[in-house]
Amino acid sequence: MAAPRQLASLHWRGPSTLSKKVESRRDPEGDNSDLALFVAARHFGKEPHRSHAAISRMGALSRLMKSRSLEPWVTPSAEGGDSVMVSRAALEAAARCELIDVHGEAGFDYRKFMALCAEYGATEAMAPT
C-alpha cells in the first residue's frame, strides 16, 4: 500500500481563512454543522445540491475517522490536540465512495473506502512531481 505523499491539514486556521463574521459563530467545543453549511453554501453559490453533498460526505468522513483507524491516509497532526492530517487520497475517496446508511446517517463502507484510498494513493505516487 502506498503511503500518502501530500497531506492537507483540517486544522482550523482562524479568521484569515474565513470572514470574522463566520469566525464569531464558531464554537470550538460544539457542533459547527451550521457553520460548515454556511461555508459550503458560499463556496458552491447557486448549487445547493453540491453544498449538501459536500457536507454529507465530510460528515461521513468525520464519523468514519472517529470510529475506525484510517492510517496511513489520516494521521494525527504534529500540532497536537484533535487536529488530523488528511491525505489527498482520503479526500478523493470521500468524494467518490458510495454513501450508505450507517446507524441512520450518511456513511462509508470501511473496506470500500480504504480500497479507494489505496487506489488513489497509488495513482498519486505514480504521478510525476
Side-chain angles (χ1 to χ4, degrees), residues 5 55 68 72 76 80 82:
R5 288 181 27 205
I55 294 297
R68 304 288 296 262
D82 291 334

Side-chain angles (χ1 to χ4, degrees), residues 7-120:
L7 298 175
S9 176
L10 291 184
H11 181 70
W12 175 255
R13 296 290 181 208
S16 63
T17 304
L18 300 173
S19 72
K20 289 185 180 186
K21 180 179 178 183
V22 171
E23 168 63 11
S24 70
R25 294 179 57 192
R26 190 177 77 83
D27 178 2
E29 301 299 323
D31 176 15
N32 288 294
S33 55
D34 62 330
L35 178 62
L37 186 57
F38 174 79
V39 171
R42 288 208 44 176
H43 179 74
F44 291 111
K46 296 182 180 188
E47 298 178 282
H49 62 285
R50 292 184 70 196
S51 296
H52 181 263
I55 294 297
S56 296
R57 289 180 175 282
M58 288 297 101
L61 177 58
S62 176
R63 286 184 290 279
L64 187 59
M65 289 178 357
K66 289 177 184 175
S67 67
R68 304 288 296 262
S69 171
L70 301 180
E71 288 189 30
W73 313 110
V74 177
T75 58
S77 170
E79 296 175 2
D82 291 334
S83 298
V84 296
M85 300 295 285
V86 178
S87 68
R88 172 165 278 160
L91 294 174
E92 288 286 345
R96 290 172 171 63
C97 193
E98 176 185 10
L99 287 170
I100 61 170
D101 181 278
V102 177
H103 307 294
E105 296 187 279
F108 301 121
D109 176 271
Y110 176 75
R111 288 188 177 128
K112 289 180 181 177
F113 184 87
M114 293 301 280
L116 283 170
C117 285
E119 178 183 328
Y120 293 122

